[in-house]
Amino acid sequence: MRKGCLLLILACLLSPTPKSYALSCVEAPSIAKAYKSYEGLVVGHVVNVEQTKEYNQVHIQVKRSFKGVETDTLTVEENITWGSLWGPSEKGEDYLFFLNQKEGQWENPLCAPTKKIAEASGELKFLKNKEIPLISSAGKSAKPSEGTVAPASDPGMMGWGTRLLSLASSGSQGLE
């Protein structure tokens, strides 16, 4: 009997135990699942990180947007300690951010699969045909898309039809 109990205890001590994590979200979702789950996906450069008592305010220059974000600058809230799944954002770094909105404010949620751009090649490959145009903070399109008419204030970007209309309405004498 004693030998049986000792073997049972020994077997329990030597048997493998399942992994446990501090966060239940430690394993990142697939890019397809993350694309569906998050409201905003952008590639952005962290311009500044301001720490408050409750969270970090991350100021981002948006380089590319794939979902939900149309402006070229964002301020995002994130957890002070953890940031997202891979840690808090660092000033001067480029990231692929997975964002949600909370009370009208963008946030980098605690379990988001946000990561440095150098580690996101697989995700970027999935997103390559999903890019949406950005509106610059000055109110103009940051990346004019094909078929977009340029503003009349920029004659170098206008097509001939737009130039003719612009010249006719301004009373100009001829075409240059």
Side-chain angles (χ1 to χ4, degrees), residues 10-11 29 44 61 88 94 115 121 136 152 154 157 168:
L10 187 60
Q61 179 67 45
D94 290 349
K115 59 175 66 176
S121 61
S136 74
D154 187 358
M157 293 294 290

Side-chain angles (χ1 to χ4, degrees), residues 41-103:
L41 275 80
V42 300
V43 170
H45 178 77
V46 177
V47 177
N48 195 17
V49 178
E50 295 177 41
Q51 195 172 30
T52 70
K53 288 182 181 181
E54 294 130 16
Y55 54 84
N56 285 338
Q57 274 192 326
V58 182
H59 301 275
I60 301 169
Q61 179 67 45
V62 179
K63 293 181 172 185
R64 298 170 70 190
S65 179
F66 303 98
K67 184 178 179 184
V69 176
E70 295 178 345
T71 58
D72 66 348
T73 59
L74 285 177
T75 299
V76 174
E77 293 178 0
E78 73 178 10
N79 183 281
I80 292 173
T81 308
W82 293 92
S84 63
L85 192 57
W86 305 107
S89 300
E90 299 173 22
K91 180 179 177 179
E93 294 289 339
D94 290 349
Y95 292 88
L96 174 59
F97 286 97
F98 291 81
L99 308 170
N100 280 330
Q101 285 198 324
K102 181 179 176 184
E103 300 172 7

